[in-house]
Amino acid sequence: MLKTIHGSALPWSAIAEGFVCGTEQVRFASAAQGIFKPAQMRGVLSVKTVVPKPGGRVWYHDQLESDAKLATATDTLAYAFKGTNPDDPQNRLLRGAMDGRLPIIYFYGVAPGAYEPIFPTYVVDWNPSDLSVKLAPKPVADQATLWMPPGVEEQRYALRQVKQRLHQSSFRERVVAAYEGRCALSGLPELRLVDAAHIIPDSDEELGQPDIRNGICMSKLHHAAYDADLIGIDPDHRIHISERLLELHDGPMLELGIKGLKGQVIRLPREDQLKPDLERLALRFERFKKAA
């Protein structure tokens, strides 16, 4: 339900609001704690990794293994204990989740105040010497298998899915924030209707990385048209419309929402380091011209 309302990444306000259990309001997570057990529950409900605001401070200790390590060394995610005492009550909660084979929610920070929920996630190793646990996400399955930790193949499959989702979610949040939540072409300010469009598709291993300068905030309509090379943006940030669309005449959405943008300059982020990469724009514009 929350993802339907807010999209992939959830704002902290939605997580903090929680849910109703019986007559009580139960929080999903705590702002001050990475490992969270609601008073109404016997065991841990969630763990959290944050992206602090610029100059901000994380009030608890946590970590996620680097992508390189995840890709080559393990099929799990690493999550650090609270502090350095393995017997801290919060750390023992993670041991309890492992022993009880209980699914938990991993709220992974993709931007300041925005979290991608990974559920179900299982604690599959509790390591006091390393002061960390290993978390294994599980592919969404039917309710009959919810209470069963994932097997090795499930772990590998789920981790690939999770990493891709986290990359894309983080990319979207950073790009949308750089454009202050507005479509760079139309100015549309509704967060639920804008995306982060790749300039160079992520299938390109060299230039298609989820780098903020490889993204432009666009409405879902303009994003689809850009991906289909029906809209082009040149290195001077000027908008071009394909002849195919210019020849069509079919109502105000097409006339004003797309064709009316021809020759306009897109809205850019205020900071230079957040603006689209000119080399990528030039390469993508060449593709547009060939497709036109």
Side-chain angles (χ1 to χ4, degrees), residues 216-242:
I216 301 174
C217 183
M218 297 185 188
S219 75
K220 294 182 182 295
L221 172 64
H222 297 109
H223 185 183
Y226 187 65
D227 282 352
D229 291 315
L230 297 172
I231 288 177
I233 299 172
D234 67 28
D236 293 322
H237 308 121
R238 199 165 298 279
I239 301 169
H240 298 255
I241 308 299
S242 73

Side-chain angles (χ1 to χ4, degrees), residues 82-123:
K82 172 191 173 184
T84 58
N85 177 15
D87 289 320
D88 183 281
Q90 285 193 310
N91 297 330
R92 299 300 302 184
L93 286 172
L94 295 176
R95 178 58 188 256
M98 182 183 73
D99 293 343
R101 299 159 65 93
L102 300 175
I104 63 174
I105 309 168
Y106 186 2
F107 290 111
Y108 182 85
V110 293
Y115 300 82
E116 180 77 25
I118 305 172
F119 179 83
T121 296
Y122 286 85
V123 181

Side-chain angles (χ1 to χ4, degrees), residues 181-193:
R182 289 181 175 269
C183 171
L185 285 73
S186 67
L188 180 71
E190 174 51 63
L191 290 175
R192 290 171 292 185
L193 295 178

Side-chain angles (χ1 to χ4, degrees), residues 165-222:
R165 196 169 86 231
L166 293 178
H167 279 153
Q168 295 305 321
S169 185
S170 177
F171 175 68
R172 179 193 182 277
E173 294 299 317
R174 288 183 290 120
V175 170
V176 170
Y179 287 79
E180 299 179 351
R182 289 181 175 269
C183 171
L185 285 73
S186 67
L188 180 71
E190 174 51 63
L191 290 175
R192 290 171 292 185
L193 295 178
V194 295
D195 287 331
H198 284 79
I199 299 172
I200 301 297
D202 54 9
S203 56
D204 186 311
E205 294 185 1
E206 182 180 356
L207 294 175
Q209 302 300 320
D211 177 349
I212 195 169
R213 300 196 69 202
N214 187 36
I216 301 174
C217 183
M218 297 185 188
S219 75
K220 294 182 182 295
L221 172 64
H222 297 109

